[in-house]
Amino acid sequence: MAKPVTDLGTQVQFLKGVGPARARSLARLGVSTVGDLLAHYPRRWFDRTSARPIRGLGAGQDATVLGEVLTSSERGTRRGGSLLTVTLGDDTGVLFCIWFNQKFLAKQFRPGKRVMASGVVQMHAGRPQLAHPDFEILEPEQPDTAPGLHTGRLVPVYGLTAGVGQYWLRSLVRQALDLLGAGLTDPLPADLRARHGFPDRGTALEHIHFPPDADRREAARQRLVYEELFSIQVLMALRHGDRRDRAGLRLEKPGDLTRRLVASLPFELTGAQRRVLKEILADLRSGRPMHRLLQGDVGSGKTLVALVAALFVIEQGHQALLMAPTEVLARQHGRTVAGLCESLGVTVETLCGSTPSAERRAILAGTAAGEIDLLVGTHAVIQADVHMPRLGLAIVDEQHRFGVRQRGRSAGAAADEQAHVLVMSATPIPRSLSLTLYGDLDLSVIDELPAGRRPVATRIVREKEEAAVWQACRDEVAAGRQVYVIHPVIEETEGQDLKAATVEYERLRTEVFPDAVVALLHGRLKAKEKDAAMSDFAAGRTDVLVATTVVEVGVDVANATAMVIHNPERFGLAQLHQLRGRVGRGEHASRCWLLCDRYLAEESFARIRFFAEHTDGFALAEEDLRQRGPGDAWGIRQSGAPGFRLANPLRDAGIVAACRDDARRLLAEDPGLAGPEGRVVREGLAAIFGNYLPPQAG
Ligand code: ADP
Ligand code: MG
């Protein structure tokens, strides 16, 4: 396999030391090409530029020490593991280094060897200690100050997985950089780079992995962040410009239908709902296709806004589409909307993946003939055989669940018809991030909850308080209210989790709520069973719903006032917020208990406590972002959007703004991306987005 490593697209197997097994391990980190490897940026860097004397080390310091091995010993632990203890000495004192279950290291630490070790200092019985330090054995001729790969410098620390160790990965990155660092083509046009004073790509990659100093690392980081964000900003600017030049369906003044709907409601629209409706109606009458993001916290009443917009379109002889990310949610929307539309003479149908084929055929015939005014469903509604000849408005609910690419597709399907597009999301995102992900959309925000909503009182409870929690739940049921009991089910442990949920369901049904109707809802049920469980609960035929996260998005049952969440530490903050948003939707005060039945690590506990103390979605979202980074907090990694490996929308707001300006300026000067700069950018885009580009840039 002597194929030379020539570009970023080369498979990692062509690097020295990577066989099939290592390649599989690397794949778990999302690394399959050399480019992926170089974009597997360090999570942080240890500053190991100079060794410190052992005497004077204090707890909590991130320190590098240069010493000689004095002793090395190994013993068994009570739990059946092994403990390796190595003592290092310098002129000032003695340092203990310990490793659990790493027997194989022992032979490296022969007394007399010189070792550089770094890590965070702990004080143990008054003596400094490093647990599992990073270390490097110095060769006899190696001067103490030479920057090695692993010590004596700013050392990259990477995210790892089984079969991929820190040392090995560092050496692999080094090898990749040596092979092609300088010869890389740069996706950023040269004069743009010059304007910002950015280093070229090879230099940036070198300096992000192995920084000569902190300043040059930061310069490299800024350049790479810019590069990540620039491509998506150009795409958004292209989409935006593309739509602005297109004629859209122009609608007239609202008529009778919307007025009758609003009059039939048992409540008044909030001021915020009225304001965003005005913004939407202005778009619908503008003669250009609307592409608007409607953002509003859970329970802020987005569905109703969407329905008013849909009726406005329908009363002028057009059709509308409402798409939801899950079947549970789609069917709920179908029921709500059908109920509200019944007396208005508007025909509503619901189409999901599980819709029986005869019914599906009938619905397709109805939409094609223009007899169905409003089609509600999952992504089944944008399959190729669904024709809505008079489609005027496509609404996408809980948009963050669909991802950027799918949004492009659903919007694209609608755009052929010059239709308007409204996407809705409960996820409050910092403005700099929404500029990035939704830079092609106009934004409306519902920043007000319906009157009378009270924050959900949230408490962390331990196992021993469980009985009191169930008693409180029984009281709710006795008062005619309803209860959710939530179980985490995650992919890796799905079987076990489902079993736990089922066992708990049996116990709740027979022992805890013997007099109530208890039902179970989880993702493995057939669509019909899920639908039945949901509609029974919505109609009040069930008192207690034991459920997994299938109720997480959008489910709306105003009579539910209590929620018990098992093992809350297994959920992210945003997810917990979505879950808790299922209660507190009506006039009654609501409560949420976070049931922790095991000892939580400090970090997990802090997260849960933050959640218990905050109800504002925006505060929770920012905290989530701080803790997990944007990739995971926003599902961006799964969404198919590039970027956000290095970029942090909170810290890098300035770069986001600069990118957006640069992207718009570039397109203003060179709309077809045909000039010398434009071509560089276009190639970069095509590599990332493929056929998701709007036609003019294809
Ligand atoms: P979300 O924004 O989370 O999608 P929903 O659209 O599901 O919220 O609305 C939550 C609940 O609030 C629904 O039961 C809805 O009928 C109700 N609702 C909507 N608007 C108002 C309002 N202006 N006043 C009172 N209740 C409202
Ligand atoms: Mg909703």
Side-chain angles (χ1 to χ4, degrees):
M1 295 243 173
K3 185 184 160 198
V5 175
T6 50
D7 61 48
L8 294 175
T10 310
Q11 296 295 312
V12 276
Q13 279 101 308
F14 292 103
L15 292 172
K16 261 200 287 312
V18 184
R22 296 278 206 180
R24 272 194 303 277
S25 302
L26 285 169
R28 278 201 300 276
L29 293 172
V31 172
S32 50
T33 64
V34 174
D36 298 335
L37 177 67
L38 293 182
H40 186 66
Y41 298 118
R43 274 208 309 235
R44 58 198 171 113
W45 298 260
F46 283 140
D47 183 355
R48 292 170 180 172
T49 39
S50 56
R52 297 199 202 199
I54 291 174
R55 194 200 343 238
L57 289 180
Q61 284 173 349
D62 176 15
T64 296
V65 167
L66 175 65
E68 195 179 299
V69 176
L70 303 177
T71 63
S72 163
S73 68
E74 204 202 308
R75 63 175 173 81
T77 64
R78 254 173 299 169
R79 295 235 179 113
S82 73
L83 174 66
L84 171 66
T85 306
V86 174
T87 55
L88 296 182
D90 67 4
D91 297 341
T92 68
V94 176
L95 172 74
F96 285 70
C97 297
I98 58 166
W99 286 267
F100 290 101
N101 303 328
Q102 309 257 321
K103 276 190 178 171
F104 60 92
L105 291 178
K107 58 180 180 302
Q108 302 190 41
F109 292 105
R110 277 195 300 276
K113 284 264 179 197
R114 288 190 313 138
V115 173
M116 217 168 195
S118 3
V120 176
V121 179
Q122 304 165 345
M123 294 306 280
H124 191 73
R127 280 184 306 216
Q129 169 179 299
L130 298 178
H132 290 241
D134 285 322
F135 67 92
E136 190 160 277
I137 313 267
L138 302 185
E139 297 308 320
E141 67 277 14
Q142 194 170 331
D144 300 352
T145 49
L149 208 49
H150 310 287
T151 54
R153 56 167 310 129
L154 287 171
V155 180
V157 179
Y158 297 103
L160 302 173
T161 185
V164 178
Q166 198 66 258
Y167 286 40
W168 183 76
L169 192 54
R170 258 180 222 146
S171 312
L172 195 68
V173 170
R174 184 67 264 162
Q175 188 192 148
L177 285 169
D178 290 342
L179 284 169
L180 49 69
L184 291 171
T185 53
D186 201 309
L188 292 182
D191 74 327
L192 198 152
R193 236 158 53 210
R195 196 161 55 232
H196 290 283
F198 287 146
D200 66 50
R201 192 186 221 182
T203 307
L205 286 172
E206 173 71 31
H207 288 181
I208 198 79
H209 288 285
F210 295 101
D213 55 51
D215 286 347
R216 276 179 280 181
R217 174 183 64 200
E218 180 55 22
R221 198 189 70 83
Q222 297 222 357
R223 185 237 131 97
L224 293 167
V225 164
Y226 186 98
E227 187 183 317
E228 284 184 352
L229 299 177
F230 186 62
S231 55
I232 197 161
Q233 285 297 355
V234 173
L235 176 68
M236 293 302 167
L238 276 171
R239 282 187 181 167
H240 189 80
D242 176 46
R243 271 198 310 273
R244 235 199 332 227
D245 299 339
R246 229 170 32 215
L249 188 66
R250 186 195 296 276
L251 297 168
E252 302 304 322
K253 272 186 159 18
D256 197 35
L257 210 49
T258 40
R259 210 168 305 131
R260 274 164 57 204
L261 170 76
V262 174
S264 76
L265 296 171
F267 47 73
E268 300 266 302
L269 294 183
T270 63
Q273 283 172 317
R274 276 202 299 269
R275 177 171 44 75
V276 303
L277 267 171
K278 250 199 217 131
E279 291 165 1
I280 292 169
L281 296 195
D283 281 356
L284 297 179
R285 297 167 63 186
S286 71
R288 309 213 174 285
M290 169 174 77
H291 277 244
R292 188 169 281 279
L293 170 65
L294 175 57
Q295 215 178 291
D297 209 345
V298 289
S300 61
K302 294 184 290 296
T303 316
L304 201 59
V305 169
L307 181 60
V308 173
L311 289 184
F312 180 62
V313 168
I314 290 167
E315 71 185 347
Q316 301 194 33
H318 297 281
Q319 296 170 296
L321 189 69
L322 171 56
M323 187 164 116
T326 66
E327 190 146 344
V328 164
L329 191 52
R331 293 199 181 274
Q332 170 186 284
H333 279 329
R335 278 191 300 272
T336 311
V337 167
L340 288 167
C341 290
E342 209 167 20
S343 61
L344 302 176
V346 171
T347 35
V348 181
E349 287 293 347
T350 304
L351 181 65
C352 294
S354 71
T355 305
S357 54
E359 195 183 329
R360 178 184 161 82
R361 269 196 303 277
I363 292 174
L364 292 187
T367 49
E371 288 153 9
I372 291 169
D373 301 313
L374 176 53
L375 183 63
V376 181
T378 55
H379 56 265
V381 299
I382 53 162
Q383 303 301 306
D385 54 348
V386 180
H387 297 294
M388 298 190 83
R390 291 183 293 109
L391 183 63
L393 172 64
I395 302 162
V396 186
D397 193 15
E398 300 298 348
Q399 128 70 28
H400 62 286
R401 283 308 196 86
F402 284 105
V404 173
R405 292 185 173 183
Q406 260 179 326
R407 166 157 62 85
R409 194 169 329 162
S410 58
D416 295 340
E417 323 280 335
Q418 322 271 291
H420 301 285
V421 176
L422 179 67
V423 301
M424 308 198 286
S425 176
T427 310
I429 34 184
R431 183 171 158 73
S432 54
L433 182 58
S434 69
L435 279 184
T436 305
L437 283 184
Y438 306 119
D440 58 333
L441 302 178
D442 298 310
L443 180 66
S444 287
V445 181
I446 307 186
D447 51 6
E448 180 187 355
L449 292 180
R453 293 280 171 79
R454 275 164 290 180
V456 179
T458 307
R459 269 193 57 208
I460 301 173
V461 286
R462 299 285 167 185
E463 217 173 4
K464 60 179 191 295
E465 302 164 273
E466 216 189 308
V469 171
W470 297 129
Q471 184 55 48
C473 290
R474 277 193 297 268
D475 294 344
E476 291 293 317
V477 171
R481 305 284 85 78
Q482 291 163 282
V483 178
Y484 291 102
V485 180
I486 307 295
H487 279 270
V489 171
I490 58 167
E491 223 174 297
E492 295 89 80
T493 50
E494 191 183 355
Q496 266 164 281
D497 292 342
L498 279 176
K499 192 155 160 253
T502 313
V503 170
E504 170 78 348
Y505 161 68
E506 280 304 325
R507 187 175 77 91
L508 291 178
R509 196 171 64 84
T510 53
E511 293 169 28
V512 179
F513 297 101
D515 305 323
V517 184
V518 184
L520 179 64
L521 174 63
H522 61 72
R524 285 283 184 83
L525 295 179
K526 292 202 186 76
K528 237 199 206 110
E529 297 167 319
K530 272 190 239 174
D531 189 33
M534 237 8 268
S535 49
D536 282 347
F537 191 68
R541 290 188 290 268
T542 314
D543 302 307
V544 179
L545 188 63
V546 181
T548 60
T549 40
V550 283
V551 298
E552 176 200 339
V553 286
V555 167
D556 180 42
V557 179
N559 191 46
T561 53
M563 174 172 282
V564 178
I565 304 179
H566 282 275
N567 301 119
E569 75 279 2
R570 295 177 62 190
F571 296 102
L573 279 175
Q575 215 178 2
L576 284 170
H577 181 58
Q578 277 282 350
L579 281 167
R580 184 173 56 184
R582 300 313 109 212
V583 294
R585 303 195 136 232
E587 59 198 286
H588 307 285
S590 295
R591 284 182 288 180
C592 175
W593 290 277
L594 307 169
L595 195 53
C596 302
D597 64 0
R598 65 182 91 172
Y599 175 79
L600 295 188
E602 203 167 294
E603 208 175 294
S604 301
F605 187 73
R607 188 160 51 90
I608 302 302
R609 202 173 47 199
F610 188 91
F611 174 71
E613 288 166 0
H614 291 81
T615 49
D616 172 39
F618 197 87
L620 289 165
E622 291 220 329
E623 184 61 22
D624 205 22
L625 190 61
R626 213 175 342 263
Q627 288 178 4
R628 294 195 297 161
D632 296 321
W634 305 106
I636 291 166
R637 216 146 278 153
Q638 303 91 287
S639 76
F644 296 106
R645 281 171 176 273
L646 272 183
N648 176 325
L650 293 182
R651 189 179 45 188
D652 299 323
I655 304 184
V656 173
C659 269
R660 185 175 158 102
D661 291 348
D662 288 346
R664 295 211 164 165
R665 183 172 20 184
L666 174 67
L667 284 170
E669 286 165 9
D670 180 10
L673 292 181
E677 275 195 32
R679 265 202 304 268
V680 173
V681 172
R682 183 212 293 225
E683 269 163 34
L685 280 175
I688 302 171
F689 297 104
N691 54 12
Y692 295 101
L693 289 181
Q696 69 177 64

